[in-house]
Amino acid sequence: MIRVGTGYDSHRFVEGAPLILGGVAIPHTHGLAGHSDADAVGHALIDALLGAAAMGDIGKLFPDTDPAYKGADSMELLADVVSRLREAGWAMAQCDITVIAERPKMAPHIDAIRERIAAVMACSMSSVSVKAKTNEGMGFIGRGEGLAVMAVATIIAA
Ligand code: MG
């Protein structure tokens, strides 16, 4: 059995916050605002995995009204989701993630993000694709107000 899920997340840029994407700290003038560490890559991937397994979404599992998740490390949440999927009989086959951001340049950080996600998920780096693009100056992303991430994940019966 094979299933596919999609995930999307966006966060607003703020000054004075760290920019964490896929568990990697990326040097930038701005970071992302959020209840957790605002790791939009982690959040979109978690939603893609949960969606594939029809196990809800990140907001249902880790509510942002719960102080337990204040400043939470999204890679810990991802590891938790991987074990929940494993308990339900699922393993990830691959994921494909697209970061849409006007700045910073993502290319130098892509492989570090792939490596970190693969380590957290205990899977091969070749199963983790991360791509990036700008929004050609359009909309909230183009104005640099925030960034967005899309993710697709395939899971297989383990
Ligand atoms: Mg989020």
Side-chain angles (χ1 to χ4, degrees):
M1 176 113 81
I2 296 177
R3 289 188 181 181
V4 175
T6 69
Y8 171 86
D9 196 27
S10 60
H11 280 263
R12 185 178 289 274
F13 275 126
V14 287
E15 280 184 76
L19 176 60
I20 310 286
L21 291 173
V24 175
I26 294 172
H28 190 43
T29 54
H30 291 66
L32 295 172
H35 182 70
S36 66
D37 61 3
D39 184 340
V41 167
H43 297 179
L45 177 55
I46 285 170
D47 266 357
L49 291 164
L50 292 172
M55 286 171 60
D57 62 41
I58 189 169
K60 184 177 156 193
L61 264 59
F62 312 110
D64 65 7
T65 50
D66 187 337
Y69 302 116
K70 180 99 180 85
D73 178 346
S74 296
M75 291 298 104
E76 285 180 18
L77 305 185
L78 177 61
D80 185 6
V81 165
V82 169
S83 63
R84 286 175 195 238
L85 257 68
R86 193 180 303 120
E87 282 163 27
W90 296 108
M92 187 184 78
Q94 59 80 226
C95 62
D96 184 21
I97 298 163
T98 303
V99 179
I100 311 162
E102 216 62 33
R103 275 178 303 276
K105 281 234 173 304
M106 292 299 303
H109 310 290
I110 295 286
D111 280 346
I113 293 172
R114 293 176 62 216
E115 193 172 4
R116 182 75 204 279
I117 290 171
V120 169
M121 300 193 72
C123 70
S124 157
M125 203 171 144
S126 65
S127 306
V128 179
S129 165
V130 177
K131 317 192 295 299
K133 60 202 295 114
T134 72
N135 215 36
E136 298 284 338
M138 296 180 289
F140 77 89
I141 295 170
R143 291 189 297 272
E145 293 169 17
L147 59 69
V149 179
M150 299 190 301
V152 174
T154 306
I155 59 171
I156 53 175

Tab-separated table of all heavy atoms in Angstrom, residues 46-111:
chain	number	residue	atom	x	y	z
A	46	ILE	N	5.664	17.589	8.361
A	46	ILE	CA	4.821	16.877	9.334
A	46	ILE	C	3.394	16.766	8.800
A	46	ILE	O	2.777	15.695	8.873
A	46	ILE	CB	4.845	17.609	10.702
A	46	ILE	CG1	6.172	17.337	11.413
A	46	ILE	CG2	3.663	17.195	11.579
A	46	ILE	CD1	6.405	18.195	12.653
A	47	ASP	N	2.870	17.842	8.246
A	47	ASP	CA	1.494	17.795	7.719
A	47	ASP	C	1.388	16.866	6.508
A	47	ASP	O	0.360	16.206	6.325
A	47	ASP	CB	0.999	19.196	7.373
A	47	ASP	CG	0.214	19.817	8.524
A	47	ASP	OD1	0.011	19.135	9.561
A	47	ASP	OD2	-0.216	20.976	8.389
A	48	ALA	N	2.425	16.807	5.686
A	48	ALA	CA	2.399	15.885	4.538
A	48	ALA	C	2.367	14.435	5.028
A	48	ALA	O	1.610	13.608	4.516
A	48	ALA	CB	3.615	16.127	3.644
A	49	LEU	N	3.176	14.137	6.047
A	49	LEU	CA	3.223	12.772	6.600
A	49	LEU	C	1.897	12.405	7.252
A	49	LEU	O	1.351	11.318	7.028
A	49	LEU	CB	4.357	12.658	7.620
A	49	LEU	CG	5.774	12.738	7.041
A	49	LEU	CD1	6.784	13.016	8.155
A	49	LEU	CD2	6.125	11.455	6.296
A	50	LEU	N	1.378	13.322	8.081
A	50	LEU	CA	0.107	13.052	8.760
A	50	LEU	C	-1.031	12.939	7.755
A	50	LEU	O	-1.930	12.110	7.906
A	50	LEU	CB	-0.194	14.152	9.785
A	50	LEU	CG	0.740	14.203	11.000
A	50	LEU	CD1	0.457	15.443	11.839
A	50	LEU	CD2	0.605	12.936	11.851
A	51	GLY	N	-0.980	13.776	6.715
A	51	GLY	CA	-2.013	13.730	5.687
A	51	GLY	C	-2.004	12.402	4.945
A	51	GLY	O	-3.059	11.813	4.685
A	52	ALA	N	-0.811	11.909	4.635
A	52	ALA	CA	-0.708	10.626	3.929
A	52	ALA	C	-1.314	9.497	4.761
A	52	ALA	O	-1.961	8.594	4.235
A	52	ALA	CB	0.757	10.332	3.607
A	53	ALA	N	-1.111	9.571	6.075
A	53	ALA	CA	-1.617	8.515	6.966
A	53	ALA	C	-3.032	8.807	7.446
A	53	ALA	O	-3.595	8.011	8.197
A	53	ALA	CB	-0.678	8.361	8.161
A	54	ALA	N	-3.612	9.936	7.033
A	54	ALA	CA	-4.930	10.380	7.513
A	54	ALA	C	-4.962	10.377	9.040
A	54	ALA	O	-5.883	9.870	9.674
A	54	ALA	CB	-6.051	9.512	6.942
A	55	MET	N	-3.894	10.964	9.626
A	55	MET	CA	-3.772	11.005	11.089
A	55	MET	C	-3.883	12.430	11.628
A	55	MET	O	-3.332	12.745	12.686
A	55	MET	CB	-2.446	10.356	11.516
A	55	MET	CG	-2.481	8.830	11.381
A	55	MET	SD	-0.872	8.027	11.619
A	55	MET	CE	-0.468	8.527	13.294
A	56	GLY	N	-4.614	13.279	10.895
A	56	GLY	CA	-4.835	14.638	11.400
A	56	GLY	C	-3.805	15.610	10.866
A	56	GLY	O	-3.274	15.443	9.768
A	57	ASP	N	-3.498	16.632	11.681
A	57	ASP	CA	-2.513	17.625	11.261
A	57	ASP	C	-1.731	18.121	12.467
A	57	ASP	O	-2.033	17.768	13.612
A	57	ASP	CB	-3.169	18.771	10.490
A	57	ASP	CG	-4.175	19.541	11.326
A	57	ASP	OD1	-3.904	19.799	12.519
A	57	ASP	OD2	-5.240	19.892	10.777
A	58	ILE	N	-0.750	18.942	12.185
A	58	ILE	CA	0.177	19.380	13.233
A	58	ILE	C	-0.548	20.146	14.349
A	58	ILE	O	-0.222	19.991	15.517
A	58	ILE	CB	1.336	20.211	12.624
A	58	ILE	CG1	2.422	20.490	13.660
A	58	ILE	CG2	0.831	21.496	11.977
A	58	ILE	CD1	3.700	21.073	13.076
A	59	GLY	N	-1.561	20.940	13.955
A	59	GLY	CA	-2.287	21.722	14.946
A	59	GLY	C	-3.114	20.851	15.888
A	59	GLY	O	-3.372	21.205	17.032
A	60	LYS	N	-3.531	19.695	15.375
A	60	LYS	CA	-4.313	18.768	16.194
A	60	LYS	C	-3.408	18.020	17.179
A	60	LYS	O	-3.749	17.849	18.345
A	60	LYS	CB	-5.025	17.783	15.262
A	60	LYS	CG	-5.968	16.807	15.950
A	60	LYS	CD	-6.665	15.941	14.896
A	60	LYS	CE	-7.139	14.627	15.501
A	60	LYS	NZ	-7.526	13.669	14.452
A	61	LEU	N	-2.232	17.608	16.690
A	61	LEU	CA	-1.314	16.840	17.539
A	61	LEU	C	-0.562	17.720	18.531
A	61	LEU	O	-0.318	17.302	19.666
A	61	LEU	CB	-0.300	16.085	16.666
A	61	LEU	CG	-0.623	14.636	16.351
A	61	LEU	CD1	-1.943	14.525	15.627
A	61	LEU	CD2	0.486	13.995	15.547
A	62	PHE	N	-0.153	18.902	18.051
A	62	PHE	CA	0.681	19.771	18.885
A	62	PHE	C	0.065	21.170	18.917
A	62	PHE	O	0.586	22.089	18.287
A	62	PHE	CB	2.105	19.839	18.314
A	62	PHE	CG	2.700	18.494	17.962
A	62	PHE	CD1	2.902	18.138	16.633
A	62	PHE	CD2	3.047	17.588	18.951
A	62	PHE	CE1	3.456	16.908	16.293
A	62	PHE	CE2	3.600	16.354	18.624
A	62	PHE	CZ	3.805	16.016	17.300
A	63	PRO	N	-1.039	21.362	19.661
A	63	PRO	CA	-1.770	22.633	19.604
A	63	PRO	C	-0.914	23.832	20.047
A	63	PRO	O	-0.156	23.721	21.013
A	63	PRO	CB	-2.929	22.432	20.591
A	63	PRO	CG	-2.907	21.012	21.006
A	63	PRO	CD	-1.611	20.410	20.608
A	64	ASP	N	-1.020	24.939	19.301
A	64	ASP	CA	-0.218	26.114	19.662
A	64	ASP	C	-0.797	26.855	20.869
A	64	ASP	O	-0.263	27.870	21.302
A	64	ASP	CB	-0.002	27.042	18.460
A	64	ASP	CG	-1.281	27.660	17.944
A	64	ASP	OD1	-2.339	27.484	18.590
A	64	ASP	OD2	-1.226	28.323	16.890
A	65	THR	N	-1.908	26.326	21.411
A	65	THR	CA	-2.443	26.863	22.667
A	65	THR	C	-1.819	26.141	23.866
A	65	THR	O	-2.044	26.525	25.010
A	65	THR	CB	-3.974	26.645	22.719
A	65	THR	OG1	-4.253	25.269	22.401
A	65	THR	CG2	-4.695	27.528	21.709
A	66	ASP	N	-1.040	25.080	23.572
A	66	ASP	CA	-0.437	24.279	24.639
A	66	ASP	C	0.949	24.822	24.954
A	66	ASP	O	1.840	24.804	24.096
A	66	ASP	CB	-0.345	22.814	24.179
A	66	ASP	CG	0.112	21.892	25.302
A	66	ASP	OD1	0.762	22.382	26.252
A	66	ASP	OD2	-0.180	20.677	25.213
A	67	PRO	N	1.159	25.317	26.190
A	67	PRO	CA	2.471	25.882	26.539
A	67	PRO	C	3.609	24.882	26.385
A	67	PRO	O	4.774	25.279	26.260
A	67	PRO	CB	2.305	26.315	28.007
A	67	PRO	CG	0.947	25.905	28.449
A	67	PRO	CD	0.176	25.385	27.276
A	68	ALA	N	3.282	23.587	26.358
A	68	ALA	CA	4.325	22.557	26.197
A	68	ALA	C	5.072	22.734	24.883
A	68	ALA	O	6.236	22.330	24.761
A	68	ALA	CB	3.706	21.164	26.251
A	69	TYR	N	4.410	23.343	23.893
A	69	TYR	CA	5.033	23.465	22.574
A	69	TYR	C	5.590	24.858	22.316
A	69	TYR	O	5.989	25.171	21.208
A	69	TYR	CB	4.043	23.042	21.484
A	69	TYR	CG	3.578	21.615	21.710
A	69	TYR	CD1	2.246	21.328	21.979
A	69	TYR	CD2	4.492	20.570	21.717
A	69	TYR	CE1	1.838	20.034	22.231
A	69	TYR	CE2	4.092	19.273	21.977
A	69	TYR	CZ	2.760	19.005	22.227
A	69	TYR	OH	2.368	17.727	22.495
A	70	LYS	N	5.622	25.702	23.374
A	70	LYS	CA	6.233	27.022	23.241
A	70	LYS	C	7.721	26.833	22.956
A	70	LYS	O	8.431	26.194	23.736
A	70	LYS	CB	6.031	27.815	24.551
A	70	LYS	CG	6.629	29.196	24.523
A	70	LYS	CD	5.576	30.256	24.237
A	70	LYS	CE	6.182	31.647	24.207
A	70	LYS	NZ	6.745	32.002	22.902
A	71	GLY	N	8.175	27.375	21.831
A	71	GLY	CA	9.591	27.263	21.467
A	71	GLY	C	10.016	25.848	21.124
A	71	GLY	O	11.210	25.549	21.078
A	72	ALA	N	9.036	24.973	20.858
A	72	ALA	CA	9.350	23.560	20.604
A	72	ALA	C	10.293	23.394	19.419
A	72	ALA	O	10.218	24.143	18.440
A	72	ALA	CB	8.059	22.784	20.350
A	73	ASP	N	11.187	22.414	19.534
A	73	ASP	CA	12.071	22.033	18.435
A	73	ASP	C	11.249	21.183	17.466
A	73	ASP	O	10.853	20.065	17.781
A	73	ASP	CB	13.247	21.238	19.006
A	73	ASP	CG	14.205	20.741	17.927
A	73	ASP	OD1	13.848	20.777	16.724
A	73	ASP	OD2	15.309	20.306	18.291
A	74	SER	N	10.986	21.725	16.283
A	74	SER	CA	10.117	21.033	15.332
A	74	SER	C	10.705	19.711	14.857
A	74	SER	O	9.970	18.833	14.409
A	74	SER	CB	9.806	21.944	14.143
A	74	SER	OG	9.070	23.063	14.598
A	75	MET	N	12.034	19.556	14.967
A	75	MET	CA	12.627	18.268	14.593
A	75	MET	C	12.254	17.196	15.623
A	75	MET	O	12.139	16.019	15.290
A	75	MET	CB	14.148	18.393	14.450
A	75	MET	CG	14.584	19.223	13.243
A	75	MET	SD	14.069	18.523	11.626
A	75	MET	CE	12.699	19.599	11.200
A	76	GLU	N	12.035	17.609	16.882
A	76	GLU	CA	11.546	16.649	17.888
A	76	GLU	C	10.105	16.264	17.575
A	76	GLU	O	9.708	15.109	17.742
A	76	GLU	CB	11.645	17.240	19.298
A	76	GLU	CG	13.073	17.276	19.819
A	76	GLU	CD	13.179	17.851	21.221
A	76	GLU	OE1	12.158	17.926	21.937
A	76	GLU	OE2	14.302	18.242	21.597
A	77	LEU	N	9.320	17.231	17.115
A	77	LEU	CA	7.935	16.933	16.728
A	77	LEU	C	7.936	15.988	15.520
A	77	LEU	O	7.133	15.052	15.458
A	77	LEU	CB	7.166	18.223	16.397
A	77	LEU	CG	7.147	19.324	17.473
A	77	LEU	CD1	6.243	20.486	17.035
A	77	LEU	CD2	6.692	18.781	18.818
A	78	LEU	N	8.839	16.233	14.579
A	78	LEU	CA	8.936	15.373	13.400
A	78	LEU	C	9.291	13.936	13.812
A	78	LEU	O	8.692	12.975	13.315
A	78	LEU	CB	9.980	15.929	12.423
A	78	LEU	CG	10.259	15.094	11.171
A	78	LEU	CD1	9.010	14.936	10.306
A	78	LEU	CD2	11.396	15.721	10.347
A	79	ALA	N	10.253	13.798	14.722
A	79	ALA	CA	10.636	12.461	15.198
A	79	ALA	C	9.443	11.780	15.867
A	79	ALA	O	9.232	10.570	15.693
A	79	ALA	CB	11.812	12.567	16.170
A	80	ASP	N	8.659	12.551	16.605
A	80	ASP	CA	7.458	12.015	17.260
A	80	ASP	C	6.456	11.526	16.206
A	80	ASP	O	5.882	10.438	16.330
A	80	ASP	CB	6.847	13.124	18.136
A	80	ASP	CG	5.658	12.636	18.960
A	80	ASP	OD1	5.366	11.436	18.944
A	80	ASP	OD2	5.023	13.473	19.621
A	81	VAL	N	6.282	12.311	15.153
A	81	VAL	CA	5.344	11.929	14.087
A	81	VAL	C	5.822	10.663	13.377
A	81	VAL	O	5.017	9.778	13.072
A	81	VAL	CB	5.161	13.105	13.096
A	81	VAL	CG1	4.502	12.651	11.797
A	81	VAL	CG2	4.339	14.211	13.754
A	82	VAL	N	7.118	10.571	13.143
A	82	VAL	CA	7.671	9.367	12.503
A	82	VAL	C	7.373	8.141	13.361
A	82	VAL	O	6.980	7.093	12.846
A	82	VAL	CB	9.193	9.518	12.270
A	82	VAL	CG1	9.828	8.195	11.862
A	82	VAL	CG2	9.456	10.577	11.202
A	83	SER	N	7.514	8.270	14.684
A	83	SER	CA	7.240	7.091	15.519
A	83	SER	C	5.747	6.796	15.585
A	83	SER	O	5.343	5.629	15.625
A	83	SER	CB	7.872	7.219	16.906
A	83	SER	OG	7.334	8.292	17.595
A	84	ARG	N	4.900	7.833	15.553
A	84	ARG	CA	3.446	7.585	15.502
A	84	ARG	C	3.070	6.854	14.213
A	84	ARG	O	2.223	5.960	14.211
A	84	ARG	CB	2.669	8.902	15.565
A	84	ARG	CG	2.655	9.556	16.941
A	84	ARG	CD	1.964	10.900	16.848
A	84	ARG	NE	2.224	11.725	18.019
A	84	ARG	CZ	1.280	12.205	18.810
A	84	ARG	NH1	0.004	11.956	18.572
A	84	ARG	NH2	1.586	12.969	19.849
A	85	LEU	N	3.698	7.261	13.110
A	85	LEU	CA	3.418	6.585	11.835
A	85	LEU	C	3.890	5.135	11.881
A	85	LEU	O	3.196	4.237	11.410
A	85	LEU	CB	4.103	7.332	10.673
A	85	LEU	CG	3.173	8.196	9.809
A	85	LEU	CD1	2.645	9.380	10.580
A	85	LEU	CD2	3.860	8.653	8.544
A	86	ARG	N	5.071	4.944	12.476
A	86	ARG	CA	5.622	3.585	12.563
A	86	ARG	C	4.675	2.693	13.364
A	86	ARG	O	4.395	1.556	12.984
A	86	ARG	CB	7.010	3.618	13.203
A	86	ARG	CG	7.785	2.308	13.050
A	86	ARG	CD	9.163	2.357	13.701
A	86	ARG	NE	9.992	3.439	13.202
A	86	ARG	CZ	10.487	4.432	13.945
A	86	ARG	NH1	10.259	4.484	15.243
A	86	ARG	NH2	11.245	5.363	13.407
A	87	GLU	N	4.160	3.229	14.483
A	87	GLU	CA	3.207	2.464	15.303
A	87	GLU	C	1.947	2.120	14.519
A	87	GLU	O	1.316	1.091	14.756
A	87	GLU	CB	2.822	3.261	16.561
A	87	GLU	CG	3.876	3.220	17.648
A	87	GLU	CD	3.675	4.319	18.695
A	87	GLU	OE1	2.522	4.756	18.884
A	87	GLU	OE2	4.678	4.731	19.300
A	88	ALA	N	1.583	3.005	13.578
A	88	ALA	CA	0.385	2.768	12.763
A	88	ALA	C	0.705	1.915	11.524
A	88	ALA	O	-0.178	1.648	10.710
A	88	ALA	CB	-0.224	4.104	12.340
A	89	GLY	N	1.984	1.501	11.396
A	89	GLY	CA	2.355	0.590	10.311
A	89	GLY	C	2.851	1.269	9.051
A	89	GLY	O	2.873	0.658	7.982
A	90	TRP	N	3.282	2.531	9.170
A	90	TRP	CA	3.728	3.276	7.995
A	90	TRP	C	5.193	3.675	8.093
A	90	TRP	O	5.686	3.971	9.177
A	90	TRP	CB	2.900	4.566	7.826
A	90	TRP	CG	1.452	4.347	7.561
A	90	TRP	CD1	0.418	4.584	8.430
A	90	TRP	CD2	0.855	3.871	6.348
A	90	TRP	NE1	-0.777	4.273	7.833
A	90	TRP	CE2	-0.544	3.834	6.559
A	90	TRP	CE3	1.367	3.474	5.113
A	90	TRP	CZ2	-1.439	3.417	5.579
A	90	TRP	CZ3	0.483	3.051	4.134
A	90	TRP	CH2	-0.901	3.030	4.370
A	91	ALA	N	5.848	3.724	6.925
A	91	ALA	CA	7.206	4.264	6.843
A	91	ALA	C	7.259	5.212	5.652
A	91	ALA	O	6.588	4.989	4.639
A	91	ALA	CB	8.214	3.141	6.656
A	92	MET	N	8.055	6.280	5.762
A	92	MET	CA	8.152	7.207	4.642
A	92	MET	C	9.017	6.618	3.536
A	92	MET	O	10.098	6.074	3.801
A	92	MET	CB	8.741	8.538	5.088
A	92	MET	CG	8.679	9.572	3.952
A	92	MET	SD	9.452	11.145	4.347
A	92	MET	CE	11.183	10.738	4.135
A	93	ALA	N	8.548	6.724	2.305
A	93	ALA	CA	9.350	6.305	1.157
A	93	ALA	C	10.184	7.472	0.649
A	93	ALA	O	11.365	7.317	0.329
A	93	ALA	CB	8.455	5.783	0.043
A	94	GLN	N	9.565	8.610	0.543
A	94	GLN	CA	10.290	9.806	0.097
A	94	GLN	C	9.490	11.046	0.445
A	94	GLN	O	8.278	10.972	0.686
A	94	GLN	CB	10.565	9.772	-1.408
A	94	GLN	CG	9.329	9.679	-2.304
A	94	GLN	CD	8.594	10.994	-2.545
A	94	GLN	OE1	7.362	11.070	-2.449
A	94	GLN	NE2	9.340	12.028	-2.845
A	95	CYS	N	10.166	12.197	0.463
A	95	CYS	CA	9.455	13.469	0.584
A	95	CYS	C	10.107	14.474	-0.348
A	95	CYS	O	11.275	14.343	-0.712
A	95	CYS	CB	9.451	13.970	2.027
A	95	CYS	SG	11.076	14.315	2.692
A	96	ASP	N	9.323	15.438	-0.750
A	96	ASP	CA	9.799	16.492	-1.648
A	96	ASP	C	9.272	17.814	-1.107
A	96	ASP	O	8.063	17.986	-0.957
A	96	ASP	CB	9.285	16.224	-3.065
A	96	ASP	CG	9.826	17.223	-4.067
A	96	ASP	OD1	10.868	17.850	-3.784
A	96	ASP	OD2	9.210	17.382	-5.136
A	97	ILE	N	10.193	18.698	-0.786
A	97	ILE	CA	9.854	19.934	-0.082
A	97	ILE	C	10.277	21.131	-0.927
A	97	ILE	O	11.385	21.140	-1.477
A	97	ILE	CB	10.596	19.975	1.280
A	97	ILE	CG1	10.138	18.807	2.161
A	97	ILE	CG2	10.398	21.315	1.981
A	97	ILE	CD1	11.071	18.505	3.314
A	98	THR	N	9.402	22.123	-1.046
A	98	THR	CA	9.752	23.350	-1.767
A	98	THR	C	9.625	24.553	-0.837
A	98	THR	O	8.553	24.791	-0.275
A	98	THR	CB	8.837	23.564	-2.990
A	98	THR	OG1	8.929	22.427	-3.852
A	98	THR	CG2	9.246	24.807	-3.771
A	99	VAL	N	10.726	25.251	-0.656
A	99	VAL	CA	10.740	26.483	0.135
A	99	VAL	C	10.560	27.645	-0.825
A	99	VAL	O	11.279	27.751	-1.820
A	99	VAL	CB	12.079	26.655	0.892
A	99	VAL	CG1	12.093	27.953	1.696
A	99	VAL	CG2	12.359	25.453	1.785
A	100	ILE	N	9.584	28.513	-0.537
A	100	ILE	CA	9.354	29.687	-1.379
A	100	ILE	C	9.687	30.920	-0.554
A	100	ILE	O	8.970	31.245	0.399
A	100	ILE	CB	7.893	29.745	-1.879
A	100	ILE	CG1	7.486	28.387	-2.457
A	100	ILE	CG2	7.737	30.841	-2.931
A	100	ILE	CD1	5.978	28.209	-2.575
A	101	ALA	N	10.797	31.526	-0.878
A	101	ALA	CA	11.275	32.675	-0.106
A	101	ALA	C	12.041	33.613	-1.025
A	101	ALA	O	12.824	33.160	-1.868
A	101	ALA	CB	12.177	32.222	1.042
A	102	GLU	N	11.826	34.894	-0.849
A	102	GLU	CA	12.550	35.876	-1.657
A	102	GLU	C	14.010	35.938	-1.181
A	102	GLU	O	14.920	36.072	-1.973
A	102	GLU	CB	11.872	37.237	-1.521
A	102	GLU	CG	11.884	38.052	-2.789
A	102	GLU	CD	11.133	37.399	-3.946
A	102	GLU	OE1	10.145	36.703	-3.704
A	102	GLU	OE2	11.557	37.589	-5.103
A	103	ARG	N	14.198	35.874	0.124
A	103	ARG	CA	15.500	35.857	0.774
A	103	ARG	C	15.403	34.999	2.012
A	103	ARG	O	14.286	34.902	2.566
A	103	ARG	CB	15.920	37.298	1.176
A	103	ARG	CG	16.605	38.067	0.067
A	103	ARG	CD	16.949	39.492	0.534
A	103	ARG	NE	15.775	40.216	0.985
A	103	ARG	CZ	14.942	40.867	0.160
A	103	ARG	NH1	15.159	40.874	-1.125
A	103	ARG	NH2	13.906	41.491	0.655
A	104	PRO	N	16.430	34.442	2.547
A	104	PRO	CA	17.801	34.432	2.013
A	104	PRO	C	17.946	33.416	0.883
A	104	PRO	O	17.028	32.634	0.639
A	104	PRO	CB	18.619	33.979	3.232
A	104	PRO	CG	17.690	33.060	3.961
A	104	PRO	CD	16.311	33.660	3.783
A	105	LYS	N	19.092	33.443	0.237
A	105	LYS	CA	19.397	32.422	-0.771
A	105	LYS	C	19.463	31.070	-0.075
A	105	LYS	O	20.180	30.884	0.897
A	105	LYS	CB	20.762	32.715	-1.411
A	105	LYS	CG	20.739	33.808	-2.460
A	105	LYS	CD	21.344	33.273	-3.772
A	105	LYS	CE	21.208	34.241	-4.941
A	105	LYS	NZ	19.859	34.656	-5.232
A	106	MET	N	18.682	30.111	-0.560
A	106	MET	CA	18.579	28.819	0.108
A	106	MET	C	19.618	27.807	-0.387
A	106	MET	O	19.957	26.870	0.333
A	106	MET	CB	17.173	28.242	-0.095
A	106	MET	CG	16.067	29.012	0.609
A	106	MET	SD	16.287	29.034	2.397
A	106	MET	CE	16.324	27.278	2.742
A	107	ALA	N	20.108	28.002	-1.611
A	107	ALA	CA	20.975	26.982	-2.235
A	107	ALA	C	22.104	26.485	-1.337
A	107	ALA	O	22.337	25.282	-1.247
A	107	ALA	CB	21.516	27.502	-3.568
A	108	PRO	N	22.808	27.398	-0.613
A	108	PRO	CA	23.933	26.906	0.209
A	108	PRO	C	23.491	26.017	1.373
A	108	PRO	O	24.336	25.376	2.004
A	108	PRO	CB	24.572	28.203	0.743
A	108	PRO	CG	24.018	29.318	-0.080
A	108	PRO	CD	22.679	28.860	-0.565
A	109	HIS	N	22.195	26.005	1.693
A	109	HIS	CA	21.719	25.304	2.899
A	109	HIS	C	20.922	24.039	2.595
A	109	HIS	O	20.555	23.301	3.504
A	109	HIS	CB	20.850	26.260	3.724
A	109	HIS	CG	21.506	27.586	3.970
A	109	HIS	ND1	22.597	27.726	4.797
A	109	HIS	CD2	21.259	28.821	3.453
A	109	HIS	CE1	22.989	29.000	4.792
A	109	HIS	NE2	22.189	29.677	3.984
A	110	ILE	N	20.650	23.815	1.305
A	110	ILE	CA	19.761	22.709	0.910
A	110	ILE	C	20.266	21.355	1.421
A	110	ILE	O	19.516	20.587	2.030
A	110	ILE	CB	19.624	22.667	-0.634
A	110	ILE	CG1	18.911	23.923	-1.145
A	110	ILE	CG2	18.922	21.386	-1.083
A	110	ILE	CD1	17.442	23.995	-0.913
A	111	ASP	N	21.546	21.070	1.201
A	111	ASP	CA	22.043	19.743	1.577
A	111	ASP	C	22.100	19.561	3.093
A	111	ASP	O	21.867	18.463	3.599
A	111	ASP	CB	23.407	19.463	0.932
A	111	ASP	CG	23.253	19.028	-0.525
A	111	ASP	OD1	22.112	18.690	-0.934
A	111	ASP	OD2	24.257	19.044	-1.257
